[in-house]
Amino acid sequence: MNQSIQILTHLPIDIPGLMASLRSPITGGIVLFSGEVRNINKGREVSFLEYEAYELMAQKKITEIVEYAIRKWELNTALCVHRLGRLEISDCAVLVLTASMHRAQAYDANRFIIDMVKREVPIWKKEYYTDGSFEWGNNIDCQCNVTAEQSIHAHSLLPTREDHLLS
Amino acid sequence: MDNITLKIVFFGSLKSYFGSQLQMNVTKGSNLVLLVKQLADMVPDSIPMLGSCKIAVDSELKSEDFSIVQSHEIAILPPFSGG
């Protein structure tokens, strides 16, 4: 991953600029995933979101995930940027770009990266609702598509523990 | 017994119980389970949330038997919700 890219940012994510930064004569396809702020979650009307991160660890984890995906799918390049702070409806919360010679690798790697970011990176979302209440998010029940094989392979490079305390 | 002073940092919903950070003394050689039990004793209402947390020591996830022998930054990490 390009080291000059800011992985965590409080500013709006520059999607066209980052997309342009990945273009290369050797690339046949770029897959773009933008995770956006939805106005309804679990039947409740969302007003806005706030994201926070354990920043040093989150940057390190995202870098490890992206570098692993580049190696596994032999991508030309890839990046992932996550927003922090207050986000409004339809803002881009997370951007994943994967560039490869052929589209299959770019699609597979992109899905892997976003699933791993949701599962493995210390970032938290606080949802504020239009009725004035709020709730912290939880990705435990998210529909991640990381297969057992991918997860095992990733874990050999991304040391994590599933241990839960007091359990 | 030697005591070690740790910086404990909290995120997400745990901040409503402990604030963003606190300093805590633990006995040298104690493990992360004992540390979490100390936190649970401080704020019993936090026990259900503490039970679903992972712990990072100096930004690296560690298992519950990790032995604390020097000063560290310990992060208590509720279930993630990025993306």
Side-chain angles (χ1 to χ4, degrees):
Chain A
M1 187 154 76
N2 186 335
Q3 294 302 313
S4 65
I5 298 291
Q6 197 171 356
I7 295 170
L8 301 174
T9 178
H10 283 79
L11 300 174
I13 296 174
D14 175 17
I15 297 176
L18 290 168
M19 178 83 182
S21 75
L22 258 66
R23 292 215 163 88
S24 156
I26 59 170
T27 288
I30 299 175
V31 170
L32 182 157
F33 172 79
S34 173
E36 314 224 324
V37 180
R38 195 175 55 229
N39 66 351
I40 300 281
N41 193 26
K42 295 175 185 169
R44 303 181 73 183
E45 195 174 347
V46 176
S47 179
F48 65 95
L49 302 183
E50 285 176 352
Y51 280 99
E52 66 176 32
Y54 187 29
E55 294 196 23
L56 190 64
M57 184 176 167
Q59 288 178 23
K60 191 171 158 218
K61 280 287 183 192
I62 289 176
T63 301
E64 286 174 356
I65 291 164
V66 171
E67 288 181 349
Y68 173 82
I70 289 172
R71 286 195 303 275
K72 178 174 172 63
W73 281 277
E74 299 182 337
L75 304 177
N76 291 338
T77 186
L79 64 80
C80 174
V81 177
H82 204 295
R83 239 342 248 288
L84 299 178
R86 175 172 169 147
L87 280 75
E88 309 297 336
I89 304 301
S90 295
D91 277 355
C92 172
V94 58
L95 178 74
V96 180
L97 292 170
T98 46
S100 59
M101 290 180 68
H102 305 288
R103 67 185 181 283
Q105 291 88 342
Y107 273 116
D108 290 348
N110 197 294
R111 180 68 191 255
F112 173 83
I113 290 169
I114 186 60
D115 284 352
M116 288 293 282
V117 165
K118 289 176 83 76
R119 215 180 70 169
E120 304 283 347
V121 177
I123 295 175
W124 297 271
K125 172 173 70 177
K126 192 176 187 181
E127 282 186 333
Y128 290 83
Y129 304 104
T130 53
D131 63 5
S133 62
F134 64 83
E135 192 172 306
W136 286 96
N138 186 335
N139 285 349
I140 280 179
D141 57 355
C142 81
Q143 296 185 349
C144 292
N145 195 37
V146 178
T147 65
E149 183 199 12
Q150 286 172 334
S151 182
I152 289 162
H153 287 167
H155 280 195
S156 65
L157 292 162
L158 312 170
T160 62
R161 296 295 298 258
E162 296 298 327
D163 306 301
H164 286 171
L165 297 156
L166 295 177
S167 59
Chain B
M1 291 283 256
D2 293 343
N3 273 342
I4 295 171
T5 302
L6 300 172
K7 178 184 176 187
I8 320 282
V9 294
F10 301 93
F11 298 93
S13 55
L14 275 182
K15 289 192 299 185
S16 63
Y17 301 111
F18 298 100
S20 295
Q21 65 177 68
L22 57 79
Q23 293 212 320
M24 213 163 103
N25 291 321
V26 297
T27 305
K28 187 175 183 178
S30 61
N31 63 26
L32 294 180
V33 173
L34 290 173
L35 171 68
V36 172
K37 287 194 188 311
Q38 278 185 251
L39 292 170
D41 289 343
M42 281 172 59
V43 187
D45 285 351
S46 69
I47 288 173
M49 179 53 65
L50 284 173
S52 66
C53 286
K54 297 179 182 179
I55 297 199
V57 177
D58 297 331
S59 298
E60 293 280 345
L61 286 181
K62 297 294 181 188
S63 61
E64 59 191 28
D65 57 0
F66 176 84
S67 181
I68 300 164
V69 294
Q70 64 185 64
S71 186
H72 295 287
E73 177 172 290
I74 310 275
I76 315 293
L77 309 173
F80 306 146
S81 52

Coordinates of all heavy atoms in Angstrom, one line a residue, chain B residues 6-72:
Chain B
L6 N 0.1 0.8 35.3 CA -0.3 0.6 33.9 C -1.2 1.8 33.4 O -2.0 2.3 34.2 CB -1.1 -0.7 33.7 CG -0.4 -2.0 34.1 CD1 -1.5 -3.1 34.0 CD2 0.7 -2.2 33.1
K7 N -1.1 2.2 32.2 CA -2.1 3.1 31.6 C -3.1 2.2 30.9 O -2.8 1.4 30.0 CB -1.4 4.0 30.6 CG -2.3 5.0 29.9 CD -1.6 5.8 28.8 CE -2.5 6.7 28.0 NZ -1.8 7.3 26.9
I8 N -4.4 2.3 31.3 CA -5.4 1.6 30.7 C -6.3 2.5 29.8 O -6.7 3.6 30.3 CB -6.4 0.9 31.7 CG1 -5.6 0.4 32.9 CG2 -7.2 -0.1 31.1 CD1 -4.9 -0.9 32.7
V9 N -6.5 2.2 28.5 CA -7.3 3.0 27.7 C -8.6 2.3 27.3 O -8.5 1.0 27.1 CB -6.5 3.5 26.4 CG1 -5.4 4.5 26.8 CG2 -6.0 2.4 25.6
F10 N -9.7 3.0 27.1 CA -11.0 2.4 26.9 C -11.6 3.0 25.7 O -11.3 4.2 25.3 CB -11.9 2.7 28.1 CG -11.4 2.1 29.4 CD1 -10.6 2.9 30.2 CD2 -11.6 0.8 29.7 CE1 -10.1 2.3 31.4 CE2 -11.2 0.2 30.9 CZ -10.4 1.0 31.8
F11 N -12.5 2.3 25.0 CA -13.1 2.7 23.8 C -14.6 2.4 23.8 O -15.0 1.5 24.6 CB -12.4 2.1 22.5 CG -11.0 2.5 22.4 CD1 -10.0 1.7 23.0 CD2 -10.6 3.7 21.8 CE1 -8.7 2.1 22.9 CE2 -9.3 4.1 21.7 CZ -8.3 3.3 22.3
G12 N -15.3 3.0 22.8 CA -16.7 2.7 22.6 C -17.5 2.8 23.9 O -17.3 3.7 24.7
S13 N -18.4 1.8 24.1 CA -19.3 1.9 25.2 C -18.6 1.8 26.6 O -19.2 2.2 27.6 CB -20.4 0.8 25.1 OG -19.7 -0.5 25.0
L14 N -17.4 1.2 26.6 CA -16.7 1.1 27.9 C -16.3 2.5 28.5 O -16.1 2.6 29.7 CB -15.4 0.3 27.7 CG -15.5 -1.2 27.8 CD1 -14.1 -1.8 27.6 CD2 -16.1 -1.6 29.1
K15 N -16.3 3.5 27.7 CA -15.9 4.8 28.2 C -17.0 5.4 29.1 O -16.7 6.2 30.0 CB -15.7 5.8 27.0 CG -14.5 5.6 26.2 CD -14.2 6.7 25.2 CE -15.3 6.9 24.2 NZ -15.0 7.9 23.2
S16 N -18.2 4.9 29.0 CA -19.3 5.4 29.9 C -19.1 4.8 31.3 O -19.6 5.3 32.3 CB -20.6 5.0 29.3 OG -20.8 3.6 29.3
Y17 N -18.3 3.7 31.4 CA -18.0 3.2 32.7 C -16.7 3.7 33.3 O -16.6 3.9 34.5 CB -17.9 1.6 32.7 CG -19.2 1.0 32.2 CD1 -19.2 0.3 30.9 CD2 -20.3 1.0 32.9 CE1 -20.4 -0.3 30.5 CE2 -21.5 0.4 32.5 CZ -21.5 -0.3 31.3 OH -22.6 -0.9 30.8
F18 N -15.7 3.8 32.5 CA -14.3 4.1 33.0 C -13.7 5.4 32.5 O -12.6 5.7 32.9 CB -13.4 2.9 32.6 CG -13.7 1.6 33.1 CD1 -14.4 0.7 32.3 CD2 -13.4 1.2 34.4 CE1 -14.8 -0.6 32.8 CE2 -13.8 0.0 34.9 CZ -14.5 -0.9 34.1
G19 N -14.4 6.1 31.6 CA -13.7 7.3 31.0 C -12.8 6.8 29.9 O -12.8 5.6 29.6
S20 N -12.0 7.7 29.3 CA -11.1 7.4 28.2 C -9.9 6.6 28.7 O -9.4 5.8 27.9 CB -10.7 8.6 27.5 OG -11.8 9.2 26.9
Q21 N -9.4 6.9 29.9 CA -8.2 6.2 30.3 C -8.1 6.4 31.9 O -8.7 7.3 32.4 CB -7.0 6.7 29.7 CG -6.6 8.2 30.0 CD -5.3 8.6 29.3 OE1 -5.3 8.7 28.1 NE2 -4.3 8.9 30.1
L22 N -7.3 5.5 32.4 CA -7.0 5.6 33.9 C -5.7 4.9 34.1 O -5.2 4.1 33.3 CB -8.1 5.0 34.7 CG -8.6 3.6 34.6 CD1 -7.6 2.6 35.2 CD2 -10.0 3.4 35.2
Q23 N -5.1 5.2 35.2 CA -3.9 4.5 35.6 C -4.2 3.5 36.7 O -5.0 3.8 37.6 CB -2.9 5.5 36.1 CG -2.4 6.4 35.0 CD -0.9 6.9 35.2 OE1 -0.5 7.1 36.4 NE2 -0.2 6.9 34.2
M24 N -3.6 2.4 36.7 CA -3.9 1.3 37.7 C -2.6 0.6 38.1 O -1.8 0.4 37.3 CB -4.9 0.3 37.0 CG -5.9 -0.3 37.9 SD -7.2 -1.0 37.0 CE -6.7 -2.7 37.1
N25 N -2.6 0.3 39.4 CA -1.5 -0.5 39.9 C -1.8 -2.0 39.9 O -2.9 -2.4 40.3 CB -1.1 -0.1 41.3 CG -0.5 1.3 41.3 OD1 0.3 1.7 40.4 ND2 -0.8 2.1 42.2
V26 N -0.9 -2.8 39.4 CA -1.1 -4.3 39.5 C 0.1 -4.9 40.0 O 1.2 -4.3 39.9 CB -1.5 -4.9 38.1 CG1 -2.8 -4.4 37.5 CG2 -0.3 -4.7 37.1
T27 N 0.0 -6.1 40.5 CA 1.2 -6.8 41.1 C 2.0 -7.3 39.9 O 1.4 -7.9 39.0 CB 0.7 -8.0 42.0 OG1 -0.1 -7.4 43.0 CG2 1.9 -8.6 42.6
K28 N 3.3 -7.2 40.0 CA 4.2 -7.7 38.9 C 3.9 -9.2 38.7 O 3.9 -9.9 39.7 CB 5.6 -7.4 39.3 CG 6.6 -7.8 38.2 CD 8.0 -7.3 38.6 CE 9.0 -7.6 37.4 NZ 10.4 -7.2 37.8
G29 N 3.8 -9.6 37.5 CA 3.6 -11.0 37.2 C 2.1 -11.4 37.1 O 1.8 -12.5 36.7
S30 N 1.2 -10.5 37.5 CA -0.2 -10.8 37.3 C -0.6 -10.8 35.8 O 0.1 -10.3 35.0 CB -1.1 -9.8 38.1 OG -1.0 -8.5 37.6
N31 N -1.7 -11.5 35.5 CA -2.0 -11.6 34.1 C -3.2 -10.8 33.7 O -3.8 -10.1 34.6 CB -2.2 -13.1 33.7 CG -3.4 -13.7 34.4 OD1 -4.3 -13.1 34.8 ND2 -3.3 -15.1 34.6
L32 N -3.7 -10.9 32.5 CA -4.7 -10.0 32.0 C -6.1 -10.3 32.6 O -6.9 -9.5 32.8 CB -4.8 -10.0 30.5 CG -3.6 -9.4 29.8 CD1 -3.8 -9.5 28.2 CD2 -3.3 -8.0 30.1
V33 N -6.3 -11.6 33.0 CA -7.5 -12.0 33.6 C -7.7 -11.2 35.0 O -8.7 -10.7 35.3 CB -7.6 -13.5 33.9 CG1 -8.8 -13.8 34.7 CG2 -7.6 -14.2 32.5
L34 N -6.6 -11.2 35.7 CA -6.6 -10.5 37.0 C -6.9 -9.0 36.8 O -7.6 -8.4 37.6 CB -5.3 -10.8 37.8 CG -5.1 -12.2 38.3 CD1 -3.7 -12.3 38.9 CD2 -6.1 -12.5 39.4
L35 N -6.3 -8.5 35.8 CA -6.5 -7.1 35.5 C -8.0 -6.8 35.2 O -8.5 -5.8 35.8 CB -5.6 -6.6 34.3 CG -5.9 -5.2 33.7 CD1 -5.4 -4.2 34.7 CD2 -5.2 -5.0 32.4
V36 N -8.6 -7.6 34.4 CA -10.0 -7.4 34.0 C -10.8 -7.6 35.3 O -11.8 -6.9 35.5 CB -10.4 -8.4 32.9 CG1 -11.9 -8.3 32.7 CG2 -9.6 -8.0 31.6
K37 N -10.5 -8.6 36.1 CA -11.3 -8.8 37.4 C -11.2 -7.5 38.3 O -12.2 -7.1 38.9 CB -10.8 -10.0 38.1 CG -11.2 -11.3 37.4 CD -11.0 -12.5 38.3 CE -11.2 -13.8 37.6 NZ -12.4 -13.9 36.8
Q38 N -10.0 -6.9 38.3 CA -9.9 -5.6 39.0 C -10.8 -4.6 38.5 O -11.5 -3.8 39.2 CB -8.5 -5.1 39.0 CG -7.5 -5.7 40.0 CD -6.2 -5.1 40.0 OE1 -5.2 -5.7 39.6 NE2 -6.0 -3.9 40.5
L39 N -10.9 -4.5 37.2 CA -11.8 -3.5 36.5 C -13.2 -3.9 36.8 O -14.1 -3.0 37.1 CB -11.6 -3.5 35.0 CG -10.2 -2.9 34.5 CD1 -10.0 -3.2 33.0 CD2 -10.1 -1.5 34.8
A40 N -13.6 -5.1 36.8 CA -14.9 -5.6 37.0 C -15.3 -5.2 38.5 O -16.5 -4.8 38.8 CB -15.1 -7.1 36.8
D41 N -14.4 -5.4 39.4 CA -14.7 -5.0 40.8 C -14.9 -3.5 41.0 O -15.7 -3.1 41.8 CB -13.5 -5.5 41.7 CG -13.4 -7.0 41.9 OD1 -14.4 -7.6 41.6 OD2 -12.4 -7.5 42.3
M42 N -14.2 -2.7 40.2 CA -14.3 -1.3 40.3 C -15.7 -0.9 39.8 O -16.3 0.0 40.4 CB -13.3 -0.6 39.4 CG -11.9 -0.5 39.9 SD -10.7 0.1 38.7 CE -11.5 1.7 38.2
V43 N -16.2 -1.5 38.7 CA -17.5 -1.1 38.1 C -18.2 -2.4 37.7 O -18.2 -2.8 36.6 CB -17.3 -0.2 36.8 CG1 -18.6 0.3 36.3 CG2 -16.3 0.9 37.1
P44 N -18.9 -2.9 38.7 CA -19.6 -4.2 38.4 C -20.6 -4.1 37.2 O -20.8 -5.1 36.5 CB -20.4 -4.5 39.7 CG -19.6 -3.8 40.7 CD -19.0 -2.6 40.1
D45 N -21.2 -3.0 36.9 CA -22.1 -2.8 35.8 C -21.4 -3.1 34.5 O -22.1 -3.3 33.4 CB -22.7 -1.4 35.8 CG -23.8 -1.3 36.8 OD1 -24.1 -2.3 37.5 OD2 -24.2 -0.1 37.0
S46 N -20.1 -3.0 34.4 CA -19.3 -3.1 33.2 C -19.1 -4.6 32.8 O -18.6 -4.9 31.7 CB -18.0 -2.4 33.2 OG -17.1 -3.1 34.2
I47 N -19.4 -5.5 33.7 CA -19.0 -6.9 33.6 C -19.5 -7.5 32.2 O -18.8 -8.2 31.5 CB -19.4 -7.8 34.8 CG1 -18.5 -7.4 36.0 CG2 -19.3 -9.3 34.5 CD1 -18.9 -8.1 37.3
P48 N -20.8 -7.3 31.9 CA -21.3 -7.9 30.6 C -20.4 -7.4 29.4 O -20.1 -8.2 28.5 CB -22.7 -7.5 30.5 CG -23.1 -7.2 31.9 CD -21.9 -6.7 32.6
M49 N -20.1 -6.2 29.4 CA -19.3 -5.6 28.3 C -17.9 -6.1 28.4 O -17.3 -6.5 27.3 CB -19.4 -4.1 28.3 CG -18.6 -3.4 27.2 SD -18.9 -4.0 25.6 CE -20.6 -3.4 25.4
L50 N -17.3 -6.1 29.6 CA -15.9 -6.6 29.7 C -15.8 -8.0 29.2 O -14.7 -8.4 28.6 CB -15.4 -6.5 31.1 CG -15.1 -5.2 31.7 CD1 -14.8 -5.3 33.2 CD2 -13.9 -4.6 31.0
G51 N -16.8 -8.8 29.4 CA -16.8 -10.2 28.9 C -16.7 -10.4 27.4 O -16.3 -11.5 27.0
S52 N -17.0 -9.4 26.7 CA -17.0 -9.5 25.2 C -15.7 -8.8 24.6 O -15.6 -8.7 23.4 CB -18.2 -9.0 24.6 OG -18.3 -7.6 24.8
C53 N -14.9 -8.3 25.5 CA -13.7 -7.5 25.0 C -12.5 -8.3 24.7 O -12.3 -9.4 25.3 CB -13.3 -6.4 26.1 SG -14.5 -5.1 26.2
K54 N -11.7 -7.8 23.8 CA -10.3 -8.3 23.6 C -9.4 -7.3 24.3 O -9.7 -6.1 24.5 CB -10.0 -8.4 22.1 CG -10.9 -9.4 21.4 CD -10.5 -9.5 19.9 CE -11.4 -10.5 19.2 NZ -11.1 -10.5 17.8
I55 N -8.1 -7.7 24.5 CA -7.2 -6.8 25.1 C -5.9 -6.7 24.3 O -5.3 -7.7 23.8 CB -6.8 -7.3 26.5 CG1 -8.0 -7.2 27.4 CG2 -5.7 -6.4 27.1 CD1 -7.8 -7.3 28.9
A56 N -5.4 -5.4 24.1 CA -4.2 -5.2 23.4 C -3.2 -4.6 24.4 O -3.5 -3.8 25.2 CB -4.4 -4.2 22.3
V57 N -2.0 -5.1 24.3 CA -0.9 -4.7 25.1 C 0.1 -4.0 24.2 O 0.6 -4.6 23.3 CB -0.2 -5.8 25.9 CG1 1.0 -5.3 26.7 CG2 -1.2 -6.5 26.8
D58 N 0.3 -2.7 24.4 CA 1.1 -1.9 23.5 C 0.7 -2.1 22.0 O 1.6 -2.4 21.2 CB 2.6 -2.1 23.7 CG 3.0 -1.7 25.1 OD1 2.4 -0.8 25.7 OD2 4.0 -2.4 25.7
S59 N -0.5 -2.1 21.8 CA -1.1 -2.2 20.4 C -1.1 -3.6 19.8 O -1.4 -3.7 18.6 CB -0.5 -1.2 19.4 OG -0.7 0.1 19.8
E60 N -0.8 -4.6 20.6 CA -0.8 -6.0 20.1 C -1.8 -6.8 20.9 O -1.7 -6.8 22.1 CB 0.6 -6.6 20.2 CG 1.7 -6.1 19.3 CD 1.6 -6.6 17.9 OE1 0.9 -7.6 17.7 OE2 2.3 -6.0 17.0
L61 N -2.7 -7.5 20.2 CA -3.6 -8.3 20.9 C -2.9 -9.4 21.7 O -1.9 -10.0 21.1 CB -4.6 -9.0 19.9 CG -5.7 -8.1 19.3 CD1 -6.6 -9.0 18.4 CD2 -6.5 -7.5 20.4
K62 N -3.3 -9.6 22.9 CA -2.7 -10.7 23.7 C -3.7 -11.6 24.3 O -4.9 -11.1 24.6 CB -1.9 -10.0 24.9 CG -0.7 -9.2 24.4 CD 0.4 -10.0 23.7 CE 1.6 -9.1 23.3 NZ 2.5 -9.8 22.5
S63 N -3.3 -12.8 24.6 CA -4.3 -13.7 25.3 C -4.3 -13.5 26.8 O -3.5 -12.7 27.3 CB -3.8 -15.2 25.0 OG -2.6 -15.4 25.5
E64 N -5.3 -14.1 27.4 CA -5.6 -13.7 28.8 C -4.5 -14.1 29.7 O -4.5 -13.6 30.9 CB -6.9 -14.3 29.2 CG -7.0 -15.8 29.1 CD -8.4 -16.3 29.2 OE1 -9.4 -15.6 28.9 OE2 -8.6 -17.4 29.7
D65 N -3.6 -15.0 29.3 CA -2.6 -15.5 30.2 C -1.3 -14.6 30.1 O -0.3 -14.9 30.7 CB -2.2 -17.0 30.0 CG -1.8 -17.3 28.6 OD1 -1.8 -16.3 27.8 OD2 -1.5 -18.5 28.3
F66 N -1.4 -13.6 29.3 CA -0.2 -12.7 29.2 C 0.2 -12.1 30.6 O -0.6 -11.6 31.3 CB -0.5 -11.5 28.3 CG 0.6 -10.5 28.1 CD1 1.6 -10.7 27.2 CD2 0.6 -9.4 28.9 CE1 2.7 -9.8 27.1 CE2 1.6 -8.4 28.8 CZ 2.7 -8.6 27.9
S67 N 1.5 -12.3 30.9 CA 2.0 -11.9 32.2 C 2.5 -10.4 32.2 O 3.3 -10.1 31.3 CB 3.1 -12.9 32.6 OG 3.6 -12.5 33.9
I68 N 2.1 -9.6 33.1 CA 2.5 -8.2 33.1 C 3.7 -8.1 34.0 O 3.6 -8.3 35.2 CB 1.3 -7.3 33.7 CG1 0.1 -7.5 32.8 CG2 1.8 -5.9 33.8 CD1 -1.2 -7.0 33.5
V69 N 4.9 -7.8 33.4 CA 6.1 -7.7 34.2 C 6.7 -6.3 34.0 O 7.7 -6.0 34.7 CB 7.1 -8.7 33.8 CG1 6.6 -10.1 34.1 CG2 7.5 -8.7 32.3
Q70 N 6.1 -5.4 33.2 CA 6.6 -4.1 33.1 C 5.5 -3.2 32.7 O 4.4 -3.6 32.4 CB 7.8 -4.0 32.1 CG 7.3 -4.3 30.7 CD 8.5 -4.3 29.7 OE1 9.4 -5.2 29.8 NE2 8.5 -3.4 28.7
S71 N 5.8 -1.9 32.7 CA 4.7 -0.9 32.4 C 4.3 -1.0 31.0 O 5.2 -1.1 30.1 CB 5.2 0.5 32.7 OG 4.2 1.4 32.6
H72 N 3.0 -0.9 30.7 CA 2.5 -1.0 29.3 C 1.3 -0.1 29.2 O 0.7 0.4 30.2 CB 1.9 -2.4 29.0 CG 2.9 -3.5 29.1 ND1 3.9 -3.7 28.1 CD2 3.1 -4.5 29.9 CE1 4.6 -4.7 28.3 NE2 4.2 -5.3 29.5

